[in-house]
Amino acid sequence: MADPTQLDSFAIGDKGGSLCEVQSTVRDSVIDGMFDRAWLIVCRDASQPVGYVRMLRATPAEAQARVDRARSGTIACTAPDSCMVKDSDVQWTTRIEGDGKTSYAVEGFTAYKDALNLALDSIRQRKVVSGTINVATTSIGGNDGFARTLAGTIDVDRALAEGYRRNHSGDYAEAAEFFEALSRRALEEQSAADIDPTEFTLNRALQKSNLGEFAEAERLFGEVEAIPTSDAVQLRLRRNFRAIHALNQRDYAGAADLLNTPIPPLTSAVTVEGNAVTLTPEIVAGVNSGSNARAIRQSSDDERLTPLERAQIIDAQAVHLLGTVERLRGDPAAAKAAQLKGLADAMAVREGRVTSIVRLRSQMLGELALAEEAAGDIEAADARFLESVNALAVEYPETNALASSRARYAAFLTRHGRDAEAMTIYQAVVGALANSQRSTSGMANMMAPYYRLLAAKAATDPAAVADFFVASQLQVRPGVADTQAVLARELSSGSEEGSRLFRQATTLNRDIERARIEDARLAQMVPTPEINALRADLKTRLDNLGFQQAETVASLSAFPQYRVVAPGKLDLAELQAVLRPDEAYLKMLVVGDAVYAMLIDAKGAQLWRSDLSTVQLENAVDSIRSTISIVENGRRVTYPFDAATARSLYTQLFGPVADRLPTIANLIFEPDGAMLRLPINLLVTADTGLADYEQRLVDPGADAFDMRQIAWLGRTTRPSTAVSALSFRNARQAPASNATHQYFGLGQNLPVGAALPSLGARGAAGGIDDSCQWAPSQWNRPISADELNTARAAMGDRAGTLLTGGAFTDTAVKARSDLNDYRIIHFATHGLVTAPRPSCPARPALVTSFGDSDSDGLLTFQEIYDLKINADLVILSACDTAGAASVRATREAGVASGGGNALDGLVRAFIGAGGRSVIASHWPAPDDFDATKRLIGGLFAARQGESVADALWSTQTMLMNEKQTSHPYYWAGFAIIGDGGQALLHGGTATADASPAGEATGRAAR
């Protein structure tokens, strides 16, 4: 067996548990300048080294003294065997063994004691010692717990590099979340690391702009610019990022003005003449900010760019951006000249060997190709596009950045009649993304030709339909990506087994990516026996990593939190395999100005492009929603329903299957675009009764709300909603809850009066600053607990528990340890799915009463995600939990065009917490005519074993057939998200109490 002291790294822990390596290092390991060797212990479920091994020329007592001095201020010990990370409950252990004149010391997190001991024994015995690593992953200190300490103490420089890596890879949502996490670090820590803290906020602003969240990006840019700086690098970053923000909004003149704004040149930070050392005036002026201190250190650090080099690259990017502006303004000659200059300037830094500019170089080449194409030089453009792709292939294999570059080239080919070549590239892009379990949030325009080509072939080529289905699942709305990034960060920072496995899977992904990058680099070299041997070793390593990753993901699949954030897709046959004979899956995809739809059943699939544009779809949905539930003068109002638009929208959207849909007993609908804001059951499938209804609208004596004769889609079919095909399949395959109690109802918060209770440093909605807090009015209109009492009474009072009034607080809900004892959890409270202002970050939440000092009166979607429930069904009969109240709705809701819903916020959070399916409302539940009370009562009057879809359909049909409640406002608002085929009721008992309240509604005539 090889001597591990002679290896750069070696693996330990060969029998299950955590996957760890011992890595040789010198950095950060010097103790009094005396050591023989030093190693880091790195485990894949941790975000930083979990321990250190050192071989010291010292006695054990001397070694202990040196270790104590080296960690002074970071580790606090009350006894030699009782140490903790300072200001936390995380235990730290040390072991020192003597061997003659040499001592072997290991220290690290006690939770990784097995790994520490194996590492020390391997170094001391000079062989890799076998053993099992078991990691304690629970009950390690709440918010200051083990995993959170790891996530919060990763080396800042390394963390900043990881954030930029995500940006360069095209993972903008992940990058935004990463920079937000970094920005939360203490300012003292950032200063100690010599990093300007505004750089984190600046990057967050850019990522938000890249995701289309312009108002929030503007607020973040404002935060940065409120802090003056003389640092020339930071000034350049601010200029370029602002210009990109303007370009994202198609403000070409504004972008050009920003890019033409002069910034003082940055010369070398330090000049040396003889024995004299001189600092530039810029460095002297800003030396107290900390960022320039880092710049000085960088000037002599071969591993980093100097400030001058960094400024040169940022200036080259500015020239590139100016060239983009010129192309978009119709001057391809000026655009080409600018791109050539920017490319030359960037490549002049270290002779083009800077890996961090690979993405920038690819972007420059792509823009140069577009300029040449616009000038009519198609052959040159073709060559540039290929060069752009090849620039990324080595450094960023199997990333969104490479996929985007390849798709951009394929789109170019379609513009010049080379569809067959383009199809081959598109299929490779989709295959690579699918195989690497990646999704995309910024490639819609580049992928649009692929969807168009597939739809054109669909009538005669079944394979095109199957290909479209797979590709459409990889096209994720920016809001969905944002939501998944937030929830993934929440999962990664946890301290339980699922979080540990998730961190392990994340690190394995990075290891696989690094190995593939190295293999791609070697593939560019002239083959030699040595190169071939290295590639063979890499293949073995990749095979091993792939096996470890497969095992990890298999274990992770048991955790609902992971299933919500995990990327993935189904093949068409995999979805068809779980569809029952009386079911069909109706999927929409909105790409650019095109609206596509697919109808899939167990035997076949049909694909078509709808006869309306994205704008027409938005306008139709807005028109329909404006007649259902809007607020005027502080009062919620319902108008006579726009049935004519509901009829034409149905025909235009679903024309090829319009006659078939009403015959499908159970329809699973995956909406996109504006249809995320409208329940499909209120679309009108035939002209039956329309003429009479239209006549009543103009007859002063007629009832314009009598819609009993209208042919609603929901009259004959039982629709449910799917967030994605994969989530529907997961919901269908999930075992039924084994909870011992039937029902838990929560709601009717206490009003707060004219002012919110003091929130101190907590803010609202989880760390949001004061300017983004909700108004007290959100708490001063509680929803009545009547529907909760009705639900409990329908099952028998002893079958349910209620938590209402002052007892219904966010802290009380989070503190309950019995939530997983209930099959049905029912919230009757307001859902906040829009941001308080457009510039504020949107974080969906449920309104609760205010509790103790840790309460903010909101159960946020991150907090919901961390709950432990075991529910077959969660009911959210709250205000707009599945539909937008305005076009400013949250981007977590997943709508790129500005409207929104909570499907990808609150609903995803509850599914991640352990709910199988969710019933959510598209608008506030109506009180008049006892509509909601009767609907909920009818729902819980279902027969034992009756499906959720059948139970909801029965009670909705009852309301639509009665004159007073035949308007869709009363019966159409509730939507099932998940598997409507599961049973609604079976046994369980519990008791509690509640009291009523109410909300005013009213009708208005046109």
Side-chain angles (χ1 to χ4, degrees):
M1 182 177 292
D3 180 354
T5 66
Q6 304 304 311
L7 302 176
D8 288 335
S9 66
F10 60 92
I12 56 175
D14 58 337
K15 299 176 181 177
S18 179
L19 304 169
C20 301
E21 285 186 354
V22 181
Q23 300 176 355
S24 179
T25 184
V26 173
R27 188 179 179 184
D28 299 328
S29 301
V30 179
I31 299 180
D32 290 353
M34 298 178 63
F35 62 92
D36 286 336
R37 293 291 303 277
W39 296 264
L40 299 176
I41 305 171
V42 179
C43 294
R44 294 193 176 97
D45 57 352
S47 57
Q48 72 165 62
V50 302
Y52 308 88
V53 181
R54 300 178 180 99
M55 186 165 64
L56 304 169
R57 295 191 295 273
T59 65
E62 291 171 339
Q64 183 68 62
R66 292 173 184 170
V67 167
D68 290 342
R69 285 196 297 273
R71 67 191 186 190
S72 176
T74 59
I75 303 297
C77 299
T78 57
D81 58 349
S82 180
C83 298
M84 291 187 177
V85 178
K86 190 176 181 181
D87 299 325
S88 80
D89 296 328
V90 179
Q91 296 180 337
W92 189 264
T93 192
T94 305
R95 174 187 164 198
I96 297 177
E97 299 286 344
D99 187 357
K101 295 181 179 180
T102 301
S103 292
Y104 299 87
V106 67
E107 62 174 331
F109 294 105
T110 302
Y112 283 88
K113 192 172 183 178
D114 292 341
L116 304 183
N117 288 331
L118 280 177
L120 181 64
D121 292 343
S122 296
I123 296 299
R124 187 180 179 192
Q125 297 178 33
R126 296 184 181 275
K127 67 178 183 179
V128 180
V129 175
S130 298
T132 301
I133 299 173
N134 294 309
V135 181
T137 58
T138 58
S139 305
I140 316 180
N143 288 336
D144 284 328
F146 170 69
R148 292 182 185 273
T149 299
L150 287 180
T153 58
I154 184 173
D155 176 77
V156 178
D157 267 345
R158 207 174 55 188
L160 186 62
E162 286 287 351
Y164 277 116
R165 175 81 190 177
R166 284 162 171 76
N167 174 64
H168 297 333
S169 298
D171 297 320
Y172 299 129
E174 287 187 29
E177 283 303 310
F178 211 91
F179 286 119
E180 182 174 350
L182 284 172
S183 69
R184 294 179 180 181
R185 302 278 287 272
L187 289 176
E188 316 84 67
E189 185 179 350
Q190 293 166 352
S191 296
D194 299 327
I195 294 178
D196 186 342
T198 63
E199 188 167 338
F200 300 144
T201 306
L202 187 62
N203 273 281
R204 287 172 56 203
L206 178 62
Q207 308 314 324
K208 292 297 182 183
S209 179
N210 287 338
L211 290 167
E213 299 170 8
F214 301 131
E216 186 177 352
E218 188 67 35
R219 179 179 64 84
L220 292 169
F221 277 122
E223 286 183 16
V224 171
E225 289 157 1
I227 303 173
T229 182
S230 59
D231 184 289
V233 169
Q234 294 300 321
L235 288 172
R236 283 166 166 77
L237 283 176
R238 294 181 183 188
R239 174 199 62 195
N240 286 16
F241 287 13
R242 266 289 191 182
I244 295 171
H245 179 49
L247 278 171
N248 286 340
Q249 299 173 87
R250 301 183 180 181
D251 179 9
Y252 306 140
D257 289 343
L258 286 162
L259 294 167
N260 286 318
T261 302
I263 294 178
L266 178 65
T267 58
S268 178
V270 182
T271 60
V272 180
E273 295 182 6
N275 294 324
V277 178
T278 304
L279 302 182
T280 64
E282 291 81 11
I283 295 296
V284 173
V287 73
N288 292 327
S289 71
S291 58
N292 287 313
R294 179 170 179 256
I296 295 171
R297 188 178 71 239
Q298 284 185 326
S299 66
S300 59
D301 186 345
D302 290 339
E303 296 180 0
R304 296 173 174 171
L305 292 171
T306 67
L308 178 58
E309 290 171 328
R310 197 175 179 201
Q312 289 171 332
I313 291 172
I314 298 170
D315 281 342
Q317 182 192 38
V319 177
H320 151 66
L321 294 172
L322 196 54
T324 302
V325 171
E326 296 295 354
R327 178 182 64 82
L328 292 170
R329 293 201 292 196
D331 190 342
K336 179 176 180 178
Q339 296 302 340
L340 287 172
K341 183 181 186 307
L343 188 59
D345 291 347
M347 296 299 290
V349 178
R350 299 196 185 183
E351 299 178 342
R353 297 193 308 270
V354 181
T355 57
S356 60
I357 70 164
V358 170
R359 176 83 189 281
L360 176 59
R361 178 169 170 258
S362 175
Q363 290 172 330
M364 289 175 167
L365 290 166
E367 270 297 323
L368 185 55
L370 290 171
E372 289 170 331
E373 181 187 10
D377 193 347
I378 307 306
E379 185 176 347
D382 193 317
R384 298 289 190 188
F385 275 123
L386 285 172
E387 193 178 355
S388 173
V389 171
N390 293 335
L392 289 172
V394 173
E395 184 64 23
Y396 295 98
E398 298 186 25
T399 62
N400 286 348
L402 177 58
S404 178
S405 182
R406 297 171 74 187
R408 180 171 54 183
Y409 177 46
F412 161 79
L413 294 176
T414 65
R415 291 195 295 271
H416 298 281
R418 297 161 64 181
D419 291 351
E421 294 174 73
M423 287 289 286
T424 300
I425 294 173
Y426 276 129
Q427 288 167 347
V429 167
V430 170
L433 290 171
N435 292 336
S436 60
Q437 296 289 295
R438 302 184 73 89
S439 55
T440 68
S441 59
M443 288 174 53
N445 289 337
M446 288 170 282
M447 293 295 293
Y450 184 51
Y451 297 118
R452 174 176 53 78
L453 291 171
L454 290 174
K457 297 171 61 178
T460 57
D461 185 0
V465 180
D467 288 345
F468 188 102
F469 179 68
V470 170
S472 67
Q473 294 172 74
L474 304 177
Q475 194 68 50
V476 175
R477 297 182 299 275
V480 176
D482 206 4
T483 297
Q484 288 180 315
V486 173
L487 296 181
R489 188 186 69 191
E490 194 73 15
L491 175 57
S492 182
S493 66
S495 59
E496 297 186 341
E497 178 67 7
S499 296
R500 185 187 73 81
L501 287 169
F502 184 67
R503 289 190 296 273
Q504 180 169 298
T506 300
T507 306
L508 279 166
N509 276 337
R510 293 175 192 163
D511 289 346
I512 291 169
E513 181 183 1
R514 292 187 187 105
R516 285 175 174 159
I517 290 171
E518 179 63 14
D519 186 56
R521 185 184 67 82
L522 292 173
Q524 304 297 311
M525 298 181 180
V526 177
T528 65
E530 182 180 6
I531 295 295
N532 292 337
L534 288 173
R535 293 196 68 187
D537 288 343
L538 275 173
K539 183 181 184 306
T540 301
R541 177 171 170 76
L542 279 167
D543 288 343
N544 290 335
L545 289 170
F547 178 74
Q548 293 168 8
Q549 182 70 311
E551 283 192 324
T552 304
V553 170
S555 299
L556 266 173
S557 64
F559 296 89
Q561 281 189 312
Y562 172 72
R563 293 199 296 268
V564 167
V565 301
K569 55 84 184 172
L570 294 181
D571 291 331
L572 187 59
E574 291 177 301
L575 174 63
Q576 290 173 313
V578 299
L579 292 175
R580 295 164 183 159
D582 64 344
E583 291 178 332
Y585 193 96
L586 180 62
K587 176 179 174 60
M588 286 183 62
L589 178 69
V590 175
V591 183
D593 199 40
V595 179
Y596 298 98
M598 301 181 72
L599 185 65
I600 305 163
D601 62 21
K603 296 181 179 180
Q606 188 173 351
L607 164 66
W608 67 96
R609 179 171 175 172
S610 298
D611 293 334
L612 77 173
S613 68
T614 304
V615 173
Q616 290 170 327
L617 174 61
E618 292 277 355
N619 291 340
V621 170
D622 287 343
S623 177
I624 294 170
R625 276 198 63 109
S626 69
T627 65
I628 298 174
S629 178
I630 59 173
V631 176
E632 293 181 349
N633 299 319
R635 185 178 178 83
R636 192 164 292 279
V637 178
T638 300
Y639 283 97
F641 185 70
D642 189 354
T645 301
R647 172 66 177 136
S648 63
L649 179 58
Y650 176 80
T651 302
Q652 289 177 297
L653 269 181
F654 308 125
V657 295
D659 293 336
R660 185 181 169 198
L661 290 183
T663 69
I664 298 170
N666 292 284
L667 185 67
I668 302 102
F669 179 46
E670 183 184 336
D672 197 11
M675 284 303 294
L676 285 157
R677 301 188 281 119
L678 195 71
I680 194 175
N681 56 356
L682 55 65
L683 294 184
V684 179
T685 64
D687 294 333
T688 306
L690 274 180
D692 291 343
Y693 174 68
E694 294 294 331
Q695 182 61 40
R696 286 197 296 275
L697 293 180
V698 297
D699 186 344
D703 186 352
F705 286 82
D706 183 359
M707 307 195 71
R708 287 174 291 174
Q709 303 305 314
I710 300 299
W712 310 110
L713 179 61
R715 187 175 291 282
T716 59
T717 191
R718 300 150 183 80
S720 58
T721 303
V723 173
S724 69
L726 183 62
S727 69
F728 168 74
R729 196 278 305 271
N730 288 343
R732 172 139 296 179
Q733 293 184 340
S737 169
N738 59 1
T740 56
H741 299 305
Q742 185 79 290
Y743 175 84
F744 186 21
L746 309 91
Q748 193 178 281
N749 66 282
L750 288 181
V752 297
L756 292 177
S758 174
L759 297 176
R762 287 172 289 123
I768 305 303
D769 61 48
D770 289 345
S771 66
C772 287
Q773 288 184 11
W774 290 95
S777 59
Q778 300 293 349
W779 283 265
N780 289 333
R781 48 192 184 95
I783 291 177
S784 169
D786 284 354
E787 65 184 82
L788 303 178
N789 288 312
T790 298
R792 186 174 65 165
M795 296 182 293
D797 285 348
R798 295 190 57 81
T801 299
L802 298 189
L803 186 70
T804 61
F808 170 48
T809 68
D810 52 326
T811 48
V813 174
K814 291 185 290 183
R816 290 190 74 107
S817 60
D818 64 342
L819 290 177
N820 62 353
D821 289 340
Y822 295 93
R823 283 195 59 253
I824 300 172
I825 299 178
H826 181 182
F827 285 87
T829 187
H830 290 287
L832 306 180
V833 301
T834 62
R837 276 166 297 286
S839 63
C840 297
R843 294 289 185 261
L846 295 176
V847 170
T848 69
S849 298
F850 278 84
D852 57 28
S853 59
D854 291 329
S855 170
D856 61 6
L858 293 171
L859 194 61
T860 68
F861 83 125
Q862 298 104 308
E863 293 169 336
I864 292 167
Y865 182 68
D866 286 335
L867 297 176
K868 299 295 181 290
I869 66 176
N870 182 22
D872 282 335
L873 183 64
V874 177
I875 300 174
L876 305 178
S877 57
C879 177
D880 284 321
T881 51
S886 76
V887 295
R888 301 173 181 173
T890 169
R891 203 159 272 282
E892 264 89 1
V895 178
S897 58
N901 62 74
L903 291 179
D904 299 304
L906 294 174
V907 172
R908 276 185 185 269
F910 273 111
I911 292 174
R916 276 66 166 178
S917 296
V918 177
I919 291 180
S921 58
H922 277 271
W923 46 77
D927 286 336
D928 35 336
F929 308 120
D930 288 331
T932 299
K933 184 176 180 179
R934 293 167 61 200
L935 191 146
I936 294 296
L939 182 68
F940 286 99
R943 303 183 308 276
Q944 294 292 322
E946 186 176 6
S947 73
V948 176
D950 280 342
L952 183 60
W953 177 76
S954 295
T955 190
Q956 287 176 329
T957 301
M958 174 188 66
L959 293 175
M960 74 173 69
N961 286 336
E962 294 187 10
K963 181 178 180 180
Q964 287 183 320
T965 55
S966 57
H967 188 289
Y969 171 58
Y970 298 103
W971 58 265
F974 286 96
I976 304 166
I977 300 104
D979 182 9
Q982 65 179 329
L984 175 64
L985 298 178
H986 51 75
T989 60
T991 59
D993 192 18
S995 58
E999 181 183 77
T1001 62
R1003 286 179 168 181
R1006 288 192 168 171

